[in-house]
Amino acid sequence: WNQDRYNQIEHDVKEFLLKQEFKPKRIKFVPISGLTGENITTRKDPELSNWYKGPTLLEAIDGFFPANRHIEKPPRFIVTDVFPEGKGVVTRGRVGKGFVEVGDRLVVLPVGDIVTVAKLDHLQAPSDETDDAKRLDVAVAGDTVELVFNDIDIMRLSVGNILSFPNARPPLTKKAKARVLVSEKLNVPIIRGAQVIFHMHSVDVPAVLTKLISVLKRDGTVKKERPRALTSGASAVVEITLQMPLPMESFSDCRSLGRFVLRRGGDTIAVGVIDETL
């Protein structure tokens, strides 16, 4: 239980989270031991108790702010697995926003096929713990469920597909304007035209950074327009062009379809959020 090491980790991680616009009051640090279970539910080790006076892990979790799930918005179901079952097809995934229920007609993006939800199974008990039996026929934002379809061929579905209402689809586009935070361990600077792998939820797509628009200060204001390169730790606004169109939205509209990771040579070189689809 080295206090200096704990303080160094807290400093580094907090600095990174603040650059990603996390609110300071929502950030908590708790030292625990996965090996002995120390400070998960109770704290007994005097070497830790001598300098740490904060909550245990469970106490900290009990103090979390409830997440805003945006149930009132059009649904976005992100497919993470597909497999056959009897005469139907099962898609496993998570509802990013809105809600889905048995009988809903949904469009499969990017292919465009229309399907009807024949059955819905929760993989775990709904988090709201309601006793209403009808709740099991509905999946709201944050729920991980299986949707069963009887009116589509399994070859038309794949991991990474997005299901939504046909009249409220997310933009299907190759290009987006985004804010990125470059990795502190970047070895080669990022230049305009750099080829990367764009990773979003369950999908990896080759992409190119077509524009380096600006470098930002910590408060979000512009530090430099049209930089020649992005170096380690930089926060910047860029334009990204994908090799194929994907359903994407601004981070403010849908977090699940608005955040991504950029990789190169197997390494993560930046993380980012979409400001605008183009």
Side-chain angles (χ1 to χ4, degrees):
W1 298 107
N2 188 310
Q3 184 177 4
D4 291 338
R5 177 59 178 157
Y6 171 82
N7 290 338
Q8 181 62 46
I9 294 172
E10 179 177 336
H11 174 271
D12 293 346
V13 174
K14 188 172 184 178
E15 184 177 25
F16 172 80
L17 294 176
L18 291 176
K19 286 182 180 179
Q20 291 296 96
E21 300 185 5
F22 280 80
K23 296 180 180 179
K25 67 179 181 180
R26 289 182 175 264
I27 302 174
K28 292 183 180 180
F29 292 88
V30 180
I32 64 169
S33 170
L35 183 63
T36 66
E38 179 68 20
N39 206 41
I40 292 179
T41 58
T42 58
R43 182 166 59 251
K44 299 177 181 179
D45 192 332
E47 290 189 16
L48 176 61
S49 301
N50 286 339
W51 58 267
Y52 179 76
K53 307 299 181 183
T56 64
L57 178 61
L58 284 185
E59 289 170 346
I61 291 174
D62 286 339
F64 282 174
F65 293 92
N68 183 357
R69 297 296 188 182
H70 298 297
I71 297 174
E72 75 285 354
K73 293 187 176 183
R76 302 287 184 262
F77 182 82
I78 302 164
V79 178
T80 58
D81 195 10
V82 180
F83 54 92
E85 184 179 88
K87 295 182 179 180
V89 179
V90 180
T91 57
R92 179 177 295 169
R94 180 176 178 272
V95 183
K97 70 175 183 178
F99 65 91
V100 177
E101 57 186 327
V102 174
D104 278 349
R105 296 181 74 252
L106 305 173
V107 60
V108 181
L109 297 173
V111 295
D113 293 14
I114 304 296
V115 294
T116 301
V117 181
K119 184 182 177 184
L120 187 154
D121 290 323
H122 286 263
L123 299 183
Q124 59 188 28
S127 57
D128 47 20
E129 297 181 351
T130 180
D131 292 330
D132 188 351
K134 293 182 179 179
R135 174 65 174 88
L136 297 178
D137 291 332
V138 180
V140 303
D143 287 349
T144 300
V145 298
E146 290 179 348
L147 303 181
V148 180
F149 307 116
N150 297 323
D151 51 358
I152 188 171
D153 190 286
I154 192 171
M155 300 302 294
R156 300 291 290 171
L157 289 163
S158 61
V159 172
N161 284 161
I162 304 298
L163 308 182
S164 69
F165 287 155
N167 60 351
R169 310 182 185 201
L172 189 61
T173 179
K174 289 184 176 182
K175 191 176 292 187
K177 179 181 177 183
R179 284 174 291 137
V180 298
L181 179 63
V182 181
S183 170
E184 294 285 354
K185 297 182 179 180
L186 183 73
N187 295 321
V188 180
I190 300 172
I191 61 174
R192 183 171 65 88
Q195 298 185 357
V196 296
I197 297 297
F198 179 92
H199 175 80
M200 176 181 282
H201 50 82
S202 305
V203 178
D204 289 313
V205 177
V208 175
L209 273 71
T210 45
K211 288 183 182 179
L212 305 182
I213 299 173
S214 62
V215 174
L216 303 176
K217 298 179 182 177
R218 184 168 180 174
D219 61 3
T221 58
V222 175
K223 179 179 180 180
K224 183 180 181 181
E225 297 276 3
R226 298 169 63 186
R228 295 184 63 183
L230 302 179
T231 55
S232 61
S235 179
V237 178
V238 300
E239 183 182 282
I240 302 171
T241 302
L242 310 185
Q243 195 175 83
M244 58 179 285
L246 282 183
M248 296 187 287
E249 293 185 89
S250 66
F251 184 72
S252 59
D253 285 336
C254 181
R255 293 188 174 190
S256 299
L257 299 187
R259 57 190 173 201
F260 61 88
V261 174
L262 298 181
R263 292 174 177 158
R264 181 174 61 187
D267 297 325
T268 296
I269 61 171
V271 295
V273 296
I274 294 172
D275 283 335
E276 179 186 1
T277 55
L278 304 173

